[in-house]
Amino acid sequence: MGASCTASGRKSRRRTWRSGTRREPRDEGRQRPKQYFPEQSQPQYQQAQYQQAQYQQPQYEQPQYQQPQYQQPQYQQPHYEQPYYEPSYQEPEQRSNIGTILLGILAAVSFVAAVSLFFLWRGAAAEADKPPVTETQTVTTTETQTTFQTTTKFPSIFGERDNPTATLPREGHEAMVVAPGARDFQDEIPDYLGFPIVRVPTVMVPLIDSLPIGVPTTTVAAALAEFNPDIIHLASPFVLGGAGAFAARQLGVPAVGLYQTDVAGFATKYHAAMIANIAWDWTRTVHNMCEMTLAPSSVYIRELESHGIKNVRHWGRGVDTELFNPTKRSDVLRRAWDPTGEKKVVGFVGRLAAEKSVHRLAALHGDLSIQLVIVGGGPERDALESLMLDAVFTGALSGEELVRAYASLDLFVNTGEFETFCQAIQEAQASGVPTIGPKAGGPIDLIEHGENGLLLEVDTFEDELPDAAAWLSTPPATPNSNSPHASP
């Protein structure tokens, strides 16, 4: 037994290391470690506890759509330091007003054509076999006689010197006048200088209360046939005068037409080309039925001929120099206009209507050395008074009052570009007053540039007016060769 025990012990000492484990002799009472290295505690893996997240649908608040509120801007009239003038001819409202006027005239022309055909059909020469008279008889028709009208005279304050009937009594002729009737607020007179007046109904052109249109009726034909004239004078024939031209043709009586209203040019200025063409067609028809057309200026002679009007002759006008002359100048009147007595008095005489362009005088309104005086009446007066607060507005004048007003000016300015003659310029010159006018129409024949006045370009009239007025109203009167306004 003992041997086996010994052998068993040696065997155990011969053991080698295996897999890092040393075997030692078994020791009783003590348990041998299984591994050489100290035993390390194996971490206990614990299954991670994941809490399932509860997905919640996000809550979106639906926006409430609100219609945007747009506040309509309130237009406010701009404030101007100087009063702002809005005449009927100014852009763009001006054009709409002018269009209304021209359409009214066109409607009147259409009406007169229909009426003329009617009374021609009725036969105007009922008394063609009436015995001839030994002295000349003349009939004058006019359709604008109430321009600058008064309630006691025919045709107007300017008509007395423009109307050819004024000279007929001195020559021993007889005459009859055909004219529009007076309006409700006017007194209608039965005769003029002893000549009977045959009245026709009156219609008003829109926006021009001073320009009535005579509507021809069968009364005209009957009156002409009864009077049996030797010649018919048509003053500015367009509506009533147009009917007169038809009547003259029916009666076989020669007619003379006086061209003095530029309706077509007025339409062209305000871009109403269609109406301008119609106006020229009608003007050509009426005047070519006359034996002769009289035009007051060289510019309009060429204009009429270029539009096919035949047999045009120049008919200038004169001035009564005993009535209009420098001796009528009134210091009392000048002191009433300018109490300081130190300002230059610059004036205008004429109808206050859109086509006269009187608003151009506002270019002088701010000059403290100038006193503006405006003589005349018309539909634009209220607007002009608002534009030129310091200007003197006399209203319509006639007779000696008008003559003194002319002679008491230091400078006369005509602002309109549609003047076929411009009698006012001639009367101012006869009164010893220098003149300024646009380089258009009648003033071209009346003003010798740099001699008795100045002609200004239409497009730059307002820009040139202050310098021109200062040059003319400052002595000496001899033009300076270096002046831009001196004649070449």
Side-chain angles (χ1 to χ4, degrees), residues 74-87:
Q74 298 295 321
Y75 176 75
Q76 295 182 352
Q77 181 71 21
H79 176 71
Y80 297 90
E81 292 296 330
Q82 292 292 331
Y84 183 60
Y85 175 52
E86 297 180 353

Side-chain angles (χ1 to χ4, degrees), residues 56-76:
Q56 295 181 353
Q57 182 72 22
Q59 301 296 321
Y60 297 99
E61 183 178 356
Q62 187 70 19
Q64 298 296 322
Y65 177 74
Q66 295 181 352
Q67 182 71 23
Q69 301 296 322
Y70 297 99
Q71 185 177 3
Q72 186 70 20
Q74 298 295 321
Y75 176 75
Q76 295 182 352

Side-chain angles (χ1 to χ4, degrees), residues 295-351:
S297 63
S298 61
V299 172
Y300 280 97
I301 290 176
R302 293 190 295 268
E303 184 79 2
L304 292 170
E305 291 176 341
S306 69
H307 284 88
I309 297 175
K310 303 174 182 178
N311 200 19
V312 182
R313 297 290 184 270
H314 181 250
W315 185 30
R317 301 177 189 176
V319 178
D320 185 349
T321 55
E322 293 183 1
L323 185 64
F324 295 92
N325 63 75
T327 63
K328 301 298 180 70
R329 188 177 180 90
S330 171
D331 292 335
V332 174
L333 182 58
R334 288 177 56 84
R335 181 69 67 174
W337 291 341
D338 171 31
T340 67
E342 298 177 354
K343 297 181 180 181
K344 298 293 184 180
V345 180
V346 178
F348 168 86
V349 178
R351 186 161 59 93

Side-chain angles (χ1 to χ4, degrees), residues 349-404:
V349 178
R351 186 161 59 93
L352 306 184
E355 69 274 13
K356 299 296 183 179
S357 301
V358 186
H359 69 283
R360 290 172 173 167
L361 288 175
L364 303 177
H365 182 247
D367 192 335
L368 299 180
S369 65
I370 289 177
Q371 176 61 58
L372 290 175
V373 176
I374 298 174
V375 179
E380 293 296 307
R381 176 167 177 172
D382 291 342
L384 291 169
E385 286 181 336
S386 299
L387 175 64
M388 296 174 279
L389 297 176
D390 297 331
V392 174
F393 288 81
T394 69
L397 300 179
S398 62
E400 287 294 330
E401 288 184 335
L402 178 62
V403 170
R404 283 194 299 270

